[in-house]
Amino acid sequence: MIDFLWNLGSFIIALGILITAHEYGHFWVARRCGVKVERFSIGFGKAIWRKVGKDGTEYVIALIPLGGYVKMLDERVDDVPEELKEQAFNRKSVWQRIAIVAAGPLANFIFAIIALYFMYLIGVPSIKPVIDTTTKNTPAELIQVQEPMQITSVGGKTVRNWEEVTYALVGHIGDPEIALTLRPMSQNSEVNDSTPLNLGKTYTLDTKNWQFDPDKESPITSLGLGIYRPAITPVLGLVSPDGAAAAAGIEVGDSLVSMNGEPYQSWDGFVEVIKSSANKPVELMVRRGGEQLKFIVTPHERKGAQGEIEGVIGIAPTQAAWPESMKLQLEYGFIESFAVAADKTWQLVDVSFKMIGKLISGDVSVKNLSGPISIAQGAGSSANYGLVYFLGFLALISVNLGIINLLPLPVLDGGHLLYYFVEVITGRPVPEKVQEIGFRFGAAMLLMLMSIALFNDFSRL
């Protein structure tokens, strides 16, 4: 319940910030174009707070925080007094109307740059993208890993951490091949924006048959790249209060010694035995302080990723510290942070447009669409990690919000822009009857996409 409330609160805060940025873009440009704004609303439905400003605009925070709007004076909607007609939206030139409508998505892109600017100014702790294995019968099997190797570029683009690797790989979904450049970690040179792309050896991966399910794996592991992680120790770092291990008396700090009389060998092997022992007692020997203690633990059952029944006892191990050579602090100065933030925003825009294209072409399944539930979970998780990660999440969603609004669906900003550009070309407005048909089509398409996204959200739950 606490997680639900945290996710919900983070979602409302994130959405409120992004909607405000988007609608303020419309509002600011409309005022500069001489349009009278009657209402600036964050949310829909019943107003829970309202105030009329000195400019005559009613500012509202409404009950349903799933959108917002700027209500402008418009003769097509209301009767407008003669003395105010020059301030009506429909009386403005087509280029002014284009500027007003385009200002919302543009504000989202500007907000993303601002959020990323502060993120890089504060500094983002990261881990270098290092692999230590590759998997047979995968696109990455041709990479021979003799020692930990750092990925320095993907498709010719320099990458510094796993997030950048992920974005770069996602942008290549559906491509017949992907070029990866790697270098051994023993060549301990720093990788940054000015690093030559030929640093290390380049491998061309055959990805014609590459597919992955984002709900079950990442694009990194699905390619067969084994992510380097510090060694897992047998010392328990977490014991869930409502798990089977806690019920048996096992505590944080206990060190695993044996299981069913067999010495502890590895965490993976231990997990496999627990998974196969749902509702079956397991004998665990642990070391606590200077003595060894024996416990009988009966794993609870749960459904696995494929719907199979597996055992779980509610513990997690500790991990050795990350080597300093693999740690990375993405932190820049007052001026440099702006350039990095602008470049990162452009990368997000580029990847987002590529993903839309791959959805249309079928290279990416509609199962990958996410709705408000997934966004709420992402908001809660990023906020839980700290401010810099929440800022990165806001930037990502802001870019996506801007792009979605640019889609040429008549109910969105992109649809309005489409009509206005037709007006620019033909010299006359699109007939109202045609606009009405377009709005109905756009609403149906948007409803269909939202339904698919919600269905996907509930399926993931």
Side-chain angles (χ1 to χ4, degrees):
M1 185 62 180
I2 293 175
D3 286 343
F4 170 78
L5 293 175
W6 177 261
N7 289 346
L8 180 62
S10 301
F11 174 68
I12 291 173
I13 291 171
L15 206 58
I17 292 171
L18 299 180
I19 291 169
T20 300
H22 181 92
E23 299 303 335
Y24 185 76
H26 292 309
F27 172 81
W28 190 84
V29 175
R31 293 292 302 273
R32 295 304 176 279
C33 291
V35 175
K36 179 177 175 57
V37 178
E38 298 182 302
R39 183 178 299 132
F40 184 115
S41 179
I42 305 303
F44 300 114
K46 184 178 180 181
I48 56 177
W49 178 88
R50 69 173 72 230
K51 180 182 179 181
V52 178
K54 294 180 180 179
D55 54 3
T57 300
E58 180 186 31
Y59 298 90
V60 175
I61 297 178
L63 187 62
I64 305 173
L66 295 178
Y69 62 92
V70 172
K71 185 175 184 293
M72 292 173 273
L73 196 66
D74 195 322
E75 293 177 283
R76 299 168 300 176
V77 179
D78 299 306
D79 293 329
V80 177
E82 190 65 35
E83 65 273 14
L84 296 178
K85 286 185 177 180
E86 286 305 312
Q87 298 181 52
F89 175 80
N90 62 288
R91 289 289 183 106
K92 300 304 174 182
S93 71
V94 64
W95 288 109
Q96 286 178 310
R97 282 177 275 142
I98 287 173
I100 293 168
V101 172
L106 180 60
N108 283 123
F109 299 140
I110 293 173
F111 176 84
I113 294 174
I114 294 171
L116 291 171
Y117 172 81
F118 284 106
M119 184 183 82
Y120 286 121
L121 200 60
I122 296 169
V124 187
S126 299
I127 297 296
K128 294 177 182 178
V130 177
I131 66 169
D132 56 3
T133 59
T134 56
T135 306
K136 289 185 178 180
N137 301 317
T138 65
E141 69 174 345
L142 62 87
I143 302 174
Q144 301 299 313
V145 182
Q146 305 298 330
E147 61 173 297
M149 300 178 72
Q150 180 177 349
I151 302 172
T152 59
S153 77
V154 176
K157 175 67 178 178
T158 298
V159 290
R160 298 162 296 180
N161 58 14
W162 282 117
E163 180 193 49
E164 293 182 358
V165 171
T166 300
Y167 281 130
L169 290 177
V170 165
H172 286 284
I173 292 175
D175 292 354
E177 59 184 37
I178 302 176
L180 296 185
T181 303
L182 300 95
R183 64 149 176 89
M185 280 300 293
S186 57
Q187 300 174 11
N188 192 21
S189 56
E190 189 66 27
V191 177
N192 52 47
D193 291 332
S194 60
T195 300
L197 294 177
N198 60 358
L199 178 63
K201 183 177 179 180
T202 298
Y203 301 83
T204 301
L205 277 55
D206 182 352
T207 53
K208 288 190 290 290
N209 299 316
W210 174 44
Q211 293 181 338
F212 79 98
D213 186 341
D215 293 332
K216 298 175 183 176
E217 59 186 341
S218 75
I220 299 162
T221 55
S222 68
L223 276 176
L225 299 169
I227 299 173
Y228 171 88
R229 291 184 176 88
I232 294 175
T233 73
V235 179
L236 301 183
L238 180 146
V239 177
S240 178
D242 56 355
I250 293 175
E251 300 175 357
V252 171
D254 289 349
S255 181
L256 298 170
V257 176
S258 67
M259 175 174 46
N260 291 333
E262 296 293 326
Y264 173 89
Q265 298 291 334
S266 70
W267 178 254
D268 288 341
F270 174 82
V271 169
E272 286 305 312
V273 173
I274 296 298
K275 280 186 174 182
S276 63
S277 303
N279 300 317
K280 300 175 185 177
V282 176
E283 180 188 289
L284 294 183
M285 185 79 74
V286 303
R287 183 177 292 107
R288 183 183 297 168
E291 60 179 329
Q292 291 189 357
L293 304 174
K294 182 170 71 175
F295 298 93
I296 302 299
V297 182
T298 303
H300 297 161
E301 70 171 49
R302 71 174 180 189
K303 283 189 176 181
Q306 306 298 327
E308 73 280 9
I309 299 299
E310 61 184 25
V312 59
I313 63 174
I315 63 173
T318 55
Q319 204 172 37
W322 281 94
E324 289 299 320
S325 62
M326 293 189 185
K327 294 181 181 179
L328 183 67
Q329 181 76 4
L330 297 179
E331 184 176 350
Y332 302 92
F334 190 78
I335 302 298
E336 192 180 7
S337 291
F338 178 79
V340 176
D343 179 64
K344 179 71 172 182
T345 300
W346 171 249
Q347 291 179 38
L348 292 175
V349 171
D350 182 52
V351 169
S352 298
F353 273 118
K354 283 181 178 178
M355 289 301 291
I356 291 173
K358 293 177 189 297
L359 277 169
I360 295 171
S361 66
D363 289 327
V364 174
S365 170
V366 292
K367 292 181 179 180
N368 297 327
L369 288 174
S370 295
I373 296 175
S374 295
I375 295 173
Q377 291 174 328
S381 297
S382 60
N384 198 43
Y385 284 126
L387 177 61
V388 291
Y389 298 101
F390 190 58
L391 287 171
F393 173 81
L394 287 176
L396 173 63
I397 301 301
S398 188
V399 166
N400 278 271
L401 183 61
I403 289 174
I404 288 171
N405 270 280
L406 286 175
L407 294 178
L409 294 177
V411 290
L412 301 174
D413 292 334
H416 291 285
L417 291 173
L418 177 63
Y419 286 151
Y420 296 147
F421 281 118
V422 170
E423 183 178 343
V424 169
I425 295 169
T426 63
R428 59 180 182 273
V430 174
E432 289 188 13
K433 190 172 183 179
V434 174
Q435 291 191 39
E436 184 179 347
I437 294 171
F439 285 132
R440 290 180 180 178
F441 171 78
M445 287 291 294
L446 194 60
L447 182 62
M448 182 183 70
L449 291 173
M450 290 176 64
S451 299
I452 293 172
L454 279 169
F455 178 79
N456 291 343
D457 280 356
F458 284 115
S459 297
R460 294 184 185 106
L461 286 177

